[in-house]
Amino acid sequence: MRKSLIVLMPLLLTACVDDTASYYADGPVGNHALTIHRAQKHFWSSASRVELIMQRLPDCLRRIELTEMPAEDVEIELLSGGDNVWTLRAGQEMWQVETQTCTQYPDVKGDGGELMGVFRADGDKFVYEAAVVETVPADAPAK
């Protein structure tokens, strides 16, 4: 019995999700980042807890619980409203935070701003993908 538990333990642990993906506002070596953490509490549950960890060191470091959703369906858009105001959007749910004073706004104001990228599951990894910005030359013909 004990040997079968030891053999099965890695299988039980591999089903759990506990990972993060980060957006670095001031480059990959900076102190200003927004990190999404998704964690599945139990291997038999499909739900995962989704949190935002915002940091702008040394003035701001805070963890905010956002929502629960299936681990494989976590997809959160990151939008920048300027002046360290960030909006996160997952379907119909939206959250707005500000990293200057490390606060979460009770209501989302405006449209959220410019799309910076998306936090999402990519196979068995959780990643941040920057938005692709296409520039149109000034002398391009109109369609």
Side-chain angles (χ1 to χ4, degrees):
M1 175 72 171
R2 188 174 189 179
K3 287 182 183 180
S4 62
L5 273 176
I6 292 172
V7 170
L8 291 175
M9 187 58 77
L11 294 175
L12 296 176
L13 294 177
T14 58
C16 290
V17 171
D18 189 352
D19 52 9
T20 62
S22 297
Y23 164 75
Y24 296 95
D26 57 357
V29 294
N31 292 320
H32 190 182
L34 297 164
T35 301
I36 298 292
H37 175 232
R38 67 176 183 159
Q40 190 176 359
K41 207 171 194 181
H42 307 289
F43 73 90
W44 60 84
S45 171
S46 65
S48 64
R49 184 181 69 230
V50 181
E51 302 173 311
L52 168 68
I53 302 162
M54 57 179 170
Q55 72 175 35
R56 193 185 55 72
L57 300 176
D59 301 318
C60 171
L61 180 59
R62 184 174 175 194
R63 180 185 300 251
I64 298 170
E65 189 167 329
L66 298 178
T67 190
E68 279 199 12
M69 61 178 62
E72 65 276 357
D73 293 338
V74 175
E75 185 168 306
I76 299 175
E77 296 174 320
L78 175 65
L79 301 109
S80 172
D83 296 326
N84 294 325
V85 175
W86 308 94
T87 302
L88 299 142
R89 180 173 52 206
Q92 297 299 318
E93 292 186 84
M94 292 178 75
W95 307 271
Q96 199 166 54
V97 297
E98 189 260 315
T99 55
Q100 189 65 35
T101 59
C102 221
T103 58
Q104 178 182 12
Y105 295 132
D107 298 312
V108 175
K109 298 173 181 98
D111 64 355
E114 177 186 356
L115 178 65
M116 302 304 291
V118 178
F119 297 93
R120 66 175 190 80
D122 183 14
D124 60 347
K125 292 176 63 181
F126 192 57
V127 298
Y128 172 77
E129 288 184 351
V132 177
V133 179
E134 292 185 24
T135 57
V136 177
D139 59 348
K143 292 185 180 185

